[in-house]
Short mmCIF file of all heavy atoms in Angstrom, two decimals:
data_model
loop_
_atom_site.label_atom_id
_atom_site.label_comp_id
_atom_site.label_asym_id
_atom_site.label_seq_id
_atom_site.Cartn_x
_atom_site.Cartn_y
_atom_site.Cartn_z
N MET A 1 113.92 138.93 136.08
CA MET A 1 114.02 138.40 137.44
C MET A 1 114.23 139.80 138.26
O MET A 1 115.27 140.37 137.80
CB MET A 1 115.06 137.32 137.62
CG MET A 1 114.96 136.85 138.91
SD MET A 1 115.91 135.39 138.99
CE MET A 1 116.36 135.26 140.69
N ASN A 2 113.62 139.83 139.35
CA ASN A 2 113.96 141.04 140.18
C ASN A 2 115.28 140.83 140.89
O ASN A 2 115.75 139.74 141.20
CB ASN A 2 112.93 141.21 141.26
CG ASN A 2 111.60 141.61 140.63
OD1 ASN A 2 111.50 142.15 139.67
ND2 ASN A 2 110.45 141.38 141.41
N LYS A 3 115.94 141.93 141.21
CA LYS A 3 117.11 141.89 141.91
C LYS A 3 116.91 141.56 143.31
O LYS A 3 115.93 142.02 143.95
CB LYS A 3 117.83 143.23 141.94
CG LYS A 3 119.24 143.35 142.55
CD LYS A 3 119.88 144.54 142.18
CE LYS A 3 121.28 144.80 142.88
NZ LYS A 3 121.99 143.63 143.26
N LEU A 4 117.66 140.60 143.84
CA LEU A 4 117.43 140.14 145.27
C LEU A 4 118.38 140.72 146.22
O LEU A 4 119.45 141.31 145.74
CB LEU A 4 117.76 138.53 145.32
CG LEU A 4 116.95 137.78 144.32
CD1 LEU A 4 117.38 136.25 144.50
CD2 LEU A 4 115.41 137.64 144.80
N SER A 5 117.91 140.93 147.50
CA SER A 5 118.79 141.61 148.41
C SER A 5 119.99 140.76 148.69
O SER A 5 120.11 139.55 148.40
CB SER A 5 118.00 141.70 149.78
OG SER A 5 117.76 140.39 150.36
N PRO A 6 121.00 141.37 149.16
CA PRO A 6 122.29 140.71 149.45
C PRO A 6 121.95 139.57 150.44
O PRO A 6 122.78 138.50 150.31
CB PRO A 6 123.12 141.80 150.01
CG PRO A 6 122.81 143.11 149.56
CD PRO A 6 121.25 142.77 149.46
N GLU A 7 121.21 139.72 151.31
CA GLU A 7 120.99 138.70 152.38
C GLU A 7 120.35 137.42 151.69
O GLU A 7 120.69 136.35 151.98
CB GLU A 7 119.97 139.32 153.49
CG GLU A 7 120.71 140.20 154.34
CD GLU A 7 120.62 141.57 153.81
OE1 GLU A 7 119.91 141.88 152.85
OE2 GLU A 7 121.06 142.50 154.43
N ILE A 8 119.29 137.67 150.75
CA ILE A 8 118.73 136.55 150.05
C ILE A 8 119.78 135.83 149.13
O ILE A 8 119.71 134.72 149.10
CB ILE A 8 117.53 136.94 149.29
CG1 ILE A 8 116.41 137.54 150.29
CG2 ILE A 8 116.91 135.94 148.50
CD1 ILE A 8 115.83 136.57 151.23
N GLU A 9 120.63 136.67 148.49
CA GLU A 9 121.58 136.05 147.61
C GLU A 9 122.51 135.19 148.50
O GLU A 9 122.89 134.13 147.99
CB GLU A 9 122.32 137.17 146.97
CG GLU A 9 121.68 137.82 145.83
CD GLU A 9 121.46 136.90 144.58
OE1 GLU A 9 122.24 135.92 144.41
OE2 GLU A 9 120.67 137.47 143.71
N ALA A 10 122.88 135.73 149.59
CA ALA A 10 123.76 134.89 150.60
C ALA A 10 123.10 133.72 151.03
O ALA A 10 123.73 132.57 151.12
CB ALA A 10 124.24 135.80 151.73
N LEU A 11 121.85 133.80 151.29
CA LEU A 11 121.08 132.56 151.75
C LEU A 11 121.00 131.53 150.55
O LEU A 11 121.30 130.36 150.74
CB LEU A 11 119.63 132.97 152.20
CG LEU A 11 118.78 131.79 152.68
CD1 LEU A 11 119.39 131.22 153.92
CD2 LEU A 11 117.41 132.38 153.06
N ILE A 12 120.69 132.01 149.35
CA ILE A 12 120.51 131.07 148.28
C ILE A 12 121.99 130.40 147.94
O ILE A 12 122.14 129.21 147.79
CB ILE A 12 120.14 131.75 147.00
CG1 ILE A 12 118.68 132.20 147.24
CG2 ILE A 12 120.41 130.97 145.87
CD1 ILE A 12 118.04 133.02 146.16
N THR A 13 122.97 131.20 148.14
CA THR A 13 124.44 130.68 147.92
C THR A 13 124.74 129.59 149.00
O THR A 13 125.29 128.59 148.64
CB THR A 13 125.46 131.78 147.94
OG1 THR A 13 125.10 132.82 146.97
CG2 THR A 13 126.94 131.33 147.85
N THR A 14 124.29 129.82 150.18
CA THR A 14 124.47 128.87 151.32
C THR A 14 123.87 127.60 151.02
O THR A 14 124.35 126.58 151.18
CB THR A 14 124.19 129.56 152.67
OG1 THR A 14 124.94 130.71 152.87
CG2 THR A 14 124.44 128.55 153.76
N ILE A 15 122.51 127.71 150.64
CA ILE A 15 121.71 126.55 150.32
C ILE A 15 122.30 125.73 149.19
O ILE A 15 122.53 124.46 149.51
CB ILE A 15 120.28 126.93 150.08
CG1 ILE A 15 119.59 127.46 151.34
CG2 ILE A 15 119.49 125.69 149.60
CD1 ILE A 15 118.26 128.22 151.07
N VAL A 16 122.71 126.45 148.18
CA VAL A 16 123.28 125.74 146.99
C VAL A 16 124.58 124.99 147.38
O VAL A 16 124.88 123.78 147.15
CB VAL A 16 123.46 126.52 145.82
CG1 VAL A 16 124.21 125.88 144.76
CG2 VAL A 16 122.04 127.12 145.30
N TYR A 17 125.48 125.73 148.05
CA TYR A 17 126.67 125.14 148.56
C TYR A 17 126.55 124.02 149.35
O TYR A 17 127.17 122.98 149.16
CB TYR A 17 127.39 126.26 149.36
CG TYR A 17 128.84 125.64 149.82
CD1 TYR A 17 129.84 125.55 149.10
CD2 TYR A 17 128.84 125.20 151.19
CE1 TYR A 17 131.07 125.14 149.60
CE2 TYR A 17 130.17 124.78 151.70
CZ TYR A 17 131.09 124.74 150.93
OH TYR A 17 132.38 124.27 151.45
N LEU A 18 125.64 123.99 150.39
CA LEU A 18 125.42 122.86 151.27
C LEU A 18 124.86 121.66 150.59
O LEU A 18 125.17 120.44 150.73
CB LEU A 18 124.51 123.30 152.47
CG LEU A 18 125.17 124.32 153.48
CD1 LEU A 18 124.13 124.79 154.44
CD2 LEU A 18 126.32 123.70 154.03
N ASN A 19 123.90 121.82 149.59
CA ASN A 19 123.38 120.81 148.76
C ASN A 19 124.47 120.24 147.96
O ASN A 19 124.55 119.01 147.94
CB ASN A 19 122.31 121.32 147.93
CG ASN A 19 121.49 120.28 147.31
OD1 ASN A 19 121.05 119.39 147.95
ND2 ASN A 19 121.24 120.37 145.99
N CYS A 20 125.32 120.96 147.37
CA CYS A 20 126.50 120.46 146.61
C CYS A 20 127.36 119.62 147.51
O CYS A 20 128.03 118.58 147.06
CB CYS A 20 127.18 121.60 145.90
SG CYS A 20 126.28 122.30 144.54
N ARG A 21 127.65 120.16 148.68
CA ARG A 21 128.53 119.42 149.64
C ARG A 21 127.89 118.02 150.01
O ARG A 21 128.61 117.16 150.00
CB ARG A 21 128.75 120.29 150.92
CG ARG A 21 129.84 119.74 151.79
CD ARG A 21 130.30 120.88 152.90
NE ARG A 21 131.10 120.26 153.85
CZ ARG A 21 132.38 120.30 153.67
NH1 ARG A 21 133.05 120.74 152.63
NH2 ARG A 21 133.23 119.79 154.67
N VAL A 22 126.69 117.89 150.28
CA VAL A 22 126.05 116.71 150.62
C VAL A 22 126.14 115.76 149.45
O VAL A 22 126.50 114.61 149.61
CB VAL A 22 124.60 116.90 151.09
CG1 VAL A 22 123.81 115.57 151.17
CG2 VAL A 22 124.41 117.71 152.39
N GLU A 23 125.91 116.26 148.33
CA GLU A 23 125.86 115.43 147.11
C GLU A 23 127.32 114.94 146.85
O GLU A 23 127.60 113.80 146.49
CB GLU A 23 125.43 116.23 145.82
CG GLU A 23 125.42 115.53 144.56
CD GLU A 23 124.44 114.45 144.48
OE1 GLU A 23 123.38 114.49 145.23
OE2 GLU A 23 124.59 113.38 143.79
N ALA A 24 128.32 115.77 147.10
CA ALA A 24 129.71 115.33 146.97
C ALA A 24 130.10 114.21 147.84
O ALA A 24 130.74 113.17 147.54
CB ALA A 24 130.68 116.40 147.20
N ILE A 25 129.66 114.28 149.11
CA ILE A 25 129.89 113.31 150.20
C ILE A 25 129.33 111.94 149.76
O ILE A 25 129.84 111.00 149.88
CB ILE A 25 129.37 113.74 151.55
CG1 ILE A 25 130.37 114.97 152.02
CG2 ILE A 25 129.40 112.69 152.62
CD1 ILE A 25 129.85 115.71 153.26
N LEU A 26 127.96 112.09 149.37
CA LEU A 26 127.34 110.83 148.93
C LEU A 26 128.02 110.15 147.72
O LEU A 26 128.12 109.01 147.72
CB LEU A 26 125.83 111.14 148.65
CG LEU A 26 124.96 111.49 149.88
CD1 LEU A 26 123.60 111.93 149.46
CD2 LEU A 26 124.77 110.39 150.88
N ARG A 27 128.52 111.01 146.86
CA ARG A 27 129.13 110.36 145.64
C ARG A 27 130.53 109.71 146.02
O ARG A 27 130.80 108.76 145.45
CB ARG A 27 129.30 111.48 144.54
CG ARG A 27 128.07 111.81 143.90
CD ARG A 27 128.35 112.82 142.70
NE ARG A 27 127.12 113.24 142.17
CZ ARG A 27 127.08 114.05 141.02
NH1 ARG A 27 128.15 114.43 140.50
NH2 ARG A 27 125.91 114.44 140.59
N LEU A 28 131.25 110.47 146.80
CA LEU A 28 132.43 109.92 147.35
C LEU A 28 132.21 108.59 148.09
O LEU A 28 132.96 107.66 147.93
CB LEU A 28 133.21 110.90 148.23
CG LEU A 28 133.90 112.04 147.54
CD1 LEU A 28 134.26 113.20 148.60
CD2 LEU A 28 135.00 111.71 146.67
N LEU A 29 131.30 108.43 148.98
CA LEU A 29 130.97 107.20 149.59
C LEU A 29 130.55 106.08 148.68
O LEU A 29 131.03 104.98 148.72
CB LEU A 29 129.71 107.49 150.56
CG LEU A 29 130.18 108.27 151.88
CD1 LEU A 29 128.86 108.55 152.78
CD2 LEU A 29 131.02 107.48 152.72
N GLU A 30 129.84 106.38 147.62
CA GLU A 30 129.36 105.53 146.65
C GLU A 30 130.49 105.04 145.86
O GLU A 30 130.69 103.93 145.57
CB GLU A 30 128.32 106.25 145.64
CG GLU A 30 127.67 105.26 144.74
CD GLU A 30 126.73 105.81 143.82
OE1 GLU A 30 125.69 106.34 144.58
OE2 GLU A 30 126.73 105.80 142.65
N ASP A 31 131.53 105.97 145.44
CA ASP A 31 132.69 105.58 144.76
C ASP A 31 133.52 104.53 145.62
O ASP A 31 134.25 103.82 145.01
CB ASP A 31 133.63 106.76 144.42
CG ASP A 31 133.03 107.78 143.54
OD1 ASP A 31 131.93 107.44 142.73
OD2 ASP A 31 133.45 108.91 143.32
N ARG A 32 133.33 104.50 146.96
CA ARG A 32 134.11 103.73 147.72
C ARG A 32 133.28 102.49 148.06
O ARG A 32 133.57 101.68 148.97
CB ARG A 32 134.56 104.43 149.02
CG ARG A 32 135.69 105.44 148.74
CD ARG A 32 135.85 106.39 149.96
NE ARG A 32 136.99 107.24 149.73
CZ ARG A 32 137.07 108.28 148.88
NH1 ARG A 32 136.14 108.50 148.28
NH2 ARG A 32 138.15 109.07 148.88
N GLY A 33 132.13 102.28 147.44
CA GLY A 33 131.24 101.23 147.71
C GLY A 33 130.43 101.20 148.79
O GLY A 33 129.85 100.19 149.25
N ILE A 34 130.19 102.48 149.34
CA ILE A 34 129.27 102.54 150.49
C ILE A 34 127.96 103.32 150.13
O ILE A 34 127.99 104.35 149.47
CB ILE A 34 129.88 103.51 151.62
CG1 ILE A 34 131.25 102.73 152.11
CG2 ILE A 34 129.02 103.67 152.72
CD1 ILE A 34 132.06 103.75 152.96
N SER A 35 126.95 102.51 150.19
CA SER A 35 125.70 103.21 149.75
C SER A 35 124.76 103.29 150.87
O SER A 35 124.62 102.48 151.83
CB SER A 35 124.92 102.10 148.77
OG SER A 35 123.72 102.47 148.42
N LEU A 36 124.08 104.49 150.92
CA LEU A 36 123.31 104.95 152.09
C LEU A 36 121.79 105.01 151.56
O LEU A 36 121.60 105.54 150.54
CB LEU A 36 123.63 106.22 152.60
CG LEU A 36 125.14 106.30 153.23
CD1 LEU A 36 125.40 107.75 153.67
CD2 LEU A 36 125.23 105.40 154.39
N GLU A 37 120.91 104.51 152.34
CA GLU A 37 119.65 104.57 152.03
C GLU A 37 119.01 105.94 152.36
O GLU A 37 119.42 106.44 153.34
CB GLU A 37 118.71 103.50 152.68
CG GLU A 37 119.00 102.15 152.15
CD GLU A 37 118.05 101.00 152.73
OE1 GLU A 37 116.83 101.35 153.00
OE2 GLU A 37 118.42 99.92 152.91
N SER A 38 118.07 106.41 151.46
CA SER A 38 117.48 107.67 151.77
C SER A 38 116.91 107.86 153.06
O SER A 38 117.06 108.97 153.70
CB SER A 38 116.57 107.97 150.69
OG SER A 38 116.05 109.39 150.85
N LYS A 39 116.26 106.88 153.51
CA LYS A 39 115.53 106.85 154.87
C LYS A 39 116.52 107.00 155.96
O LYS A 39 116.34 107.84 156.91
CB LYS A 39 114.81 105.53 155.10
CG LYS A 39 113.53 105.47 154.24
CD LYS A 39 112.75 104.23 154.66
CE LYS A 39 111.51 104.17 153.66
NZ LYS A 39 110.77 102.95 154.05
N GLU A 40 117.78 106.39 155.90
CA GLU A 40 118.82 106.50 156.87
C GLU A 40 119.40 108.03 156.91
O GLU A 40 119.55 108.49 157.94
CB GLU A 40 120.08 105.60 156.50
CG GLU A 40 119.75 104.15 156.71
CD GLU A 40 120.95 103.31 156.39
OE1 GLU A 40 121.37 103.32 155.28
OE2 GLU A 40 121.53 102.78 157.26
N VAL A 41 119.51 108.53 155.77
CA VAL A 41 120.01 109.98 155.56
C VAL A 41 119.06 110.86 155.99
O VAL A 41 119.40 111.71 156.86
CB VAL A 41 120.45 110.30 154.09
CG1 VAL A 41 120.80 111.76 154.00
CG2 VAL A 41 121.62 109.37 153.72
N ASP A 42 117.79 110.61 155.93
CA ASP A 42 116.77 111.49 156.39
C ASP A 42 116.61 111.53 157.92
O ASP A 42 116.58 112.49 158.51
CB ASP A 42 115.40 111.17 155.72
CG ASP A 42 115.40 111.59 154.25
OD1 ASP A 42 116.16 112.36 153.83
OD2 ASP A 42 114.41 111.14 153.59
N SER A 43 116.72 110.28 158.44
CA SER A 43 116.57 110.18 159.89
C SER A 43 117.77 110.73 160.59
O SER A 43 117.50 111.46 161.59
CB SER A 43 116.61 108.57 160.24
OG SER A 43 116.68 108.39 161.60
N LYS A 44 118.87 110.71 160.10
CA LYS A 44 120.20 111.17 160.77
C LYS A 44 120.02 112.71 160.54
O LYS A 44 120.40 113.50 161.45
CB LYS A 44 121.34 110.70 160.14
CG LYS A 44 122.63 111.19 160.74
CD LYS A 44 122.64 110.89 162.27
CE LYS A 44 123.06 109.45 162.53
NZ LYS A 44 123.10 109.20 164.09
N THR A 45 119.53 113.28 159.36
CA THR A 45 119.34 114.76 159.20
C THR A 45 118.48 115.31 160.22
O THR A 45 118.72 116.30 160.83
CB THR A 45 118.80 115.00 157.70
OG1 THR A 45 119.86 114.43 156.91
CG2 THR A 45 118.71 116.40 157.56
N ARG A 46 117.28 114.64 160.51
CA ARG A 46 116.37 115.09 161.44
C ARG A 46 116.92 115.06 162.86
O ARG A 46 116.74 115.99 163.58
CB ARG A 46 115.13 114.28 161.30
CG ARG A 46 114.14 114.65 160.25
CD ARG A 46 112.78 114.06 160.31
NE ARG A 46 112.79 112.51 160.18
CZ ARG A 46 112.92 111.83 159.12
NH1 ARG A 46 112.94 112.45 157.99
NH2 ARG A 46 112.94 110.56 159.11
N SER A 47 117.69 114.07 163.10
CA SER A 47 118.40 113.96 164.51
C SER A 47 119.37 115.14 164.68
O SER A 47 119.30 115.70 165.74
CB SER A 47 119.10 112.65 164.52
OG SER A 47 119.80 112.56 165.76
N ILE A 48 120.25 115.43 163.70
CA ILE A 48 121.20 116.49 163.76
C ILE A 48 120.46 117.72 163.85
O ILE A 48 120.77 118.66 164.80
CB ILE A 48 122.17 116.40 162.60
CG1 ILE A 48 123.02 115.23 162.79
CG2 ILE A 48 122.97 117.65 162.57
CD1 ILE A 48 123.89 114.79 161.47
N HIS A 49 119.43 118.03 162.98
CA HIS A 49 118.61 119.21 163.03
C HIS A 49 118.05 119.48 164.43
O HIS A 49 117.92 120.68 164.82
CB HIS A 49 117.61 119.21 161.96
CG HIS A 49 116.80 120.47 161.75
ND1 HIS A 49 115.59 120.70 162.48
CD2 HIS A 49 117.14 121.50 161.07
CE1 HIS A 49 115.27 121.91 162.19
NE2 HIS A 49 116.11 122.53 161.36
N SER A 50 117.49 118.52 165.02
CA SER A 50 116.80 118.77 166.22
C SER A 50 117.81 119.13 167.47
O SER A 50 117.41 119.91 168.33
CB SER A 50 116.05 117.50 166.70
OG SER A 50 116.90 116.39 167.15
N ILE A 51 119.09 118.72 167.34
CA ILE A 51 120.06 119.08 168.27
C ILE A 51 120.74 120.34 167.94
O ILE A 51 120.97 121.19 168.82
CB ILE A 51 121.05 117.96 168.41
CG1 ILE A 51 120.38 116.60 168.96
CG2 ILE A 51 122.11 118.23 169.28
CD1 ILE A 51 121.05 115.41 168.83
N GLN A 52 121.24 120.51 166.75
CA GLN A 52 121.97 121.60 166.36
C GLN A 52 121.34 122.63 165.47
O GLN A 52 121.97 123.65 165.09
CB GLN A 52 123.16 121.19 165.58
CG GLN A 52 124.05 120.19 166.39
CD GLN A 52 125.21 119.50 165.50
OE1 GLN A 52 125.21 119.60 164.36
NE2 GLN A 52 126.17 119.01 166.21
N GLY A 53 120.12 122.55 165.22
CA GLY A 53 119.39 123.42 164.13
C GLY A 53 119.36 124.92 164.47
O GLY A 53 119.74 125.63 163.80
N SER A 54 119.11 125.22 165.82
CA SER A 54 118.98 126.50 166.22
C SER A 54 120.41 127.23 166.15
O SER A 54 120.44 128.40 165.73
CB SER A 54 118.25 126.70 167.51
OG SER A 54 119.02 126.01 168.57
N VAL A 55 121.41 126.50 166.64
CA VAL A 55 122.78 127.11 166.64
C VAL A 55 123.23 127.28 165.13
O VAL A 55 123.64 128.49 164.82
CB VAL A 55 123.76 126.14 167.20
CG1 VAL A 55 125.25 126.61 167.03
CG2 VAL A 55 123.39 126.01 168.81
N MET A 56 122.90 126.41 164.25
CA MET A 56 123.24 126.52 162.83
C MET A 56 122.46 127.59 162.21
O MET A 56 123.04 128.45 161.41
CB MET A 56 123.04 125.29 162.03
CG MET A 56 123.96 124.15 162.38
SD MET A 56 123.44 122.76 161.39
CE MET A 56 124.60 121.54 162.01
N ARG A 57 121.16 127.86 162.58
CA ARG A 57 120.40 128.99 162.05
C ARG A 57 121.00 130.33 162.49
O ARG A 57 121.07 131.28 161.72
CB ARG A 57 118.93 128.86 162.56
CG ARG A 57 118.10 127.84 161.87
CD ARG A 57 116.72 127.77 162.61
NE ARG A 57 116.07 129.02 162.37
CZ ARG A 57 115.20 129.38 161.30
NH1 ARG A 57 115.03 128.43 160.59
NH2 ARG A 57 114.65 130.47 161.25
N TYR A 58 121.55 130.34 163.72
CA TYR A 58 122.07 131.67 164.25
C TYR A 58 123.32 131.94 163.43
O TYR A 58 123.61 133.06 162.93
CB TYR A 58 122.39 131.54 165.79
CG TYR A 58 123.06 132.67 166.19
CD1 TYR A 58 122.43 133.99 166.37
CD2 TYR A 58 124.34 132.62 166.51
CE1 TYR A 58 123.08 135.00 166.85
CE2 TYR A 58 125.15 133.81 167.00
CZ TYR A 58 124.39 134.97 167.15
OH TYR A 58 125.11 136.03 167.53
N GLN A 59 124.21 130.92 163.24
CA GLN A 59 125.51 131.08 162.60
C GLN A 59 125.24 131.50 161.06
O GLN A 59 125.99 132.44 160.55
CB GLN A 59 126.31 129.72 162.54
CG GLN A 59 126.78 129.34 163.92
CD GLN A 59 127.33 127.96 164.03
OE1 GLN A 59 126.99 127.20 163.21
NE2 GLN A 59 128.23 127.75 164.95
N ILE A 60 124.26 130.87 160.42
CA ILE A 60 123.97 131.23 159.02
C ILE A 60 123.40 132.74 158.95
O ILE A 60 123.84 133.46 158.10
CB ILE A 60 123.06 130.24 158.35
CG1 ILE A 60 123.79 128.98 158.27
CG2 ILE A 60 122.45 130.74 157.08
CD1 ILE A 60 122.92 127.76 157.64
N SER A 61 122.53 133.05 159.87
CA SER A 61 121.98 134.39 159.83
C SER A 61 123.06 135.47 160.15
O SER A 61 123.04 136.57 159.51
CB SER A 61 120.92 134.58 160.91
OG SER A 61 121.41 134.58 162.23
N CYS A 62 123.99 135.09 161.00
CA CYS A 62 125.19 136.12 161.28
C CYS A 62 126.06 136.24 159.87
O CYS A 62 126.38 137.26 159.50
CB CYS A 62 126.04 135.69 162.25
SG CYS A 62 125.26 135.81 163.93
N ARG A 63 126.22 135.05 159.25
CA ARG A 63 127.08 134.94 158.11
C ARG A 63 126.49 135.76 156.94
O ARG A 63 127.19 136.53 156.20
CB ARG A 63 127.28 133.55 157.63
CG ARG A 63 128.28 133.44 156.49
CD ARG A 63 128.45 132.04 156.11
NE ARG A 63 128.81 131.11 157.25
CZ ARG A 63 128.38 129.89 157.57
NH1 ARG A 63 127.29 129.49 156.86
NH2 ARG A 63 128.70 129.15 158.53
N ILE A 64 125.11 135.66 156.68
CA ILE A 64 124.55 136.31 155.57
C ILE A 64 124.43 137.80 155.74
O ILE A 64 124.20 138.48 154.82
CB ILE A 64 123.14 135.61 155.10
CG1 ILE A 64 122.06 135.82 156.21
CG2 ILE A 64 123.43 134.12 154.79
CD1 ILE A 64 120.74 135.41 155.77
N ARG A 65 124.42 138.29 157.02
CA ARG A 65 124.44 139.69 157.26
C ARG A 65 125.87 140.29 157.05
O ARG A 65 125.96 141.50 157.09
CB ARG A 65 123.91 139.98 158.65
CG ARG A 65 122.41 139.92 158.61
CD ARG A 65 121.72 140.35 159.90
NE ARG A 65 121.22 139.09 160.54
CZ ARG A 65 121.46 138.67 161.68
NH1 ARG A 65 122.15 139.51 162.54
NH2 ARG A 65 121.01 137.68 162.27
N ASP A 66 126.84 139.51 156.89
CA ASP A 66 128.27 139.98 156.81
C ASP A 66 128.37 140.66 155.47
O ASP A 66 128.07 139.84 154.44
CB ASP A 66 129.13 138.80 157.01
CG ASP A 66 130.62 139.25 157.03
OD1 ASP A 66 130.95 140.30 156.57
OD2 ASP A 66 131.41 138.39 157.24
N PRO A 67 128.68 141.84 155.37
CA PRO A 67 128.96 142.47 153.95
C PRO A 67 129.99 141.81 153.16
O PRO A 67 130.06 141.88 151.97
CB PRO A 67 129.26 143.97 154.26
CG PRO A 67 129.51 144.02 155.74
CD PRO A 67 129.05 142.78 156.34
N ASP A 68 130.80 141.11 153.85
CA ASP A 68 131.99 140.39 153.09
C ASP A 68 131.75 138.86 152.98
O ASP A 68 132.64 138.17 152.69
CB ASP A 68 133.37 140.57 153.85
CG ASP A 68 133.72 142.05 153.98
OD1 ASP A 68 133.44 142.80 152.83
OD2 ASP A 68 134.19 142.55 154.99
N PHE A 69 130.38 138.48 152.99
CA PHE A 69 130.07 137.15 152.86
C PHE A 69 130.67 136.49 151.67
O PHE A 69 130.72 137.01 150.51
CB PHE A 69 128.44 137.01 152.88
CG PHE A 69 128.13 135.62 152.49
CD1 PHE A 69 128.01 134.63 153.50
CD2 PHE A 69 127.77 135.30 151.21
CE1 PHE A 69 127.52 133.29 153.20
CE2 PHE A 69 127.34 133.90 150.92
CZ PHE A 69 127.31 133.01 151.93
N ASP A 70 131.21 135.35 151.82
CA ASP A 70 131.67 134.46 150.76
C ASP A 70 131.77 133.08 151.23
O ASP A 70 132.00 132.75 152.43
CB ASP A 70 133.00 135.00 150.33
CG ASP A 70 133.44 134.31 149.04
OD1 ASP A 70 132.53 133.81 148.38
OD2 ASP A 70 134.63 134.37 148.61
N ILE A 71 131.53 132.08 150.49
CA ILE A 71 131.63 130.69 150.78
C ILE A 71 133.06 130.45 150.59
O ILE A 71 133.77 130.62 149.69
CB ILE A 71 130.83 129.78 149.82
CG1 ILE A 71 129.52 130.01 149.87
CG2 ILE A 71 131.22 128.35 149.98
CD1 ILE A 71 128.78 129.51 151.21
N LYS A 72 133.63 129.87 151.83
CA LYS A 72 135.16 129.62 151.82
C LYS A 72 135.35 128.12 152.11
O LYS A 72 134.66 127.51 152.63
CB LYS A 72 135.75 130.47 152.85
CG LYS A 72 135.69 131.92 152.43
CD LYS A 72 136.40 132.84 153.65
CE LYS A 72 136.22 134.11 153.16
NZ LYS A 72 136.04 135.25 153.82
#
């Protein structure tokens, strides 16, 4: 496998972290007897993305260019 740039590594790390975070939240809800339908989650995701997507993109792009990037 080719060596990836620090920016791509940071982006991959961010994606994996966020995916794990979503999975953790869904599991915690399920442990408490709260089940969410996939369509509901997708709908809310699209809604949030349409409102906050550009701001989040900017924040992530700044974060992955930071030479001291780390998931905290």
Side-chain angles (χ1 to χ4, degrees):
M1 186 169 155
N2 294 336
K3 184 167 175 28
L4 300 174
S5 70
E7 292 85 4
I8 296 299
E9 287 287 351
L11 181 59
I12 291 169
T13 300
T14 299
I15 291 167
V16 170
Y17 175 81
L18 293 173
N19 192 48
C20 291
R21 188 165 173 90
V22 168
E23 182 68 23
I25 291 167
L26 291 173
R27 286 185 188 186
L28 287 168
L29 287 171
E30 188 175 304
D31 289 349
R32 288 166 175 75
I34 301 168
S35 174
L36 300 175
E37 289 192 31
S38 183
K39 288 181 181 180
E40 288 179 297
V41 174
D42 291 343
S43 174
K44 185 55 77 174
T45 300
R46 283 190 294 279
S47 171
I48 293 168
H49 182 268
S50 71
I51 296 167
Q52 299 176 342
S54 60
V55 172
M56 290 178 184
R57 285 177 63 92
Y58 176 75
Q59 291 170 336
I60 289 171
S61 69
C62 290
R63 185 180 306 132
I64 66 173
R65 282 186 251 132
D66 180 351
D68 297 323
F69 171 83
D70 191 17
I71 295 290
K72 296 175 176 146

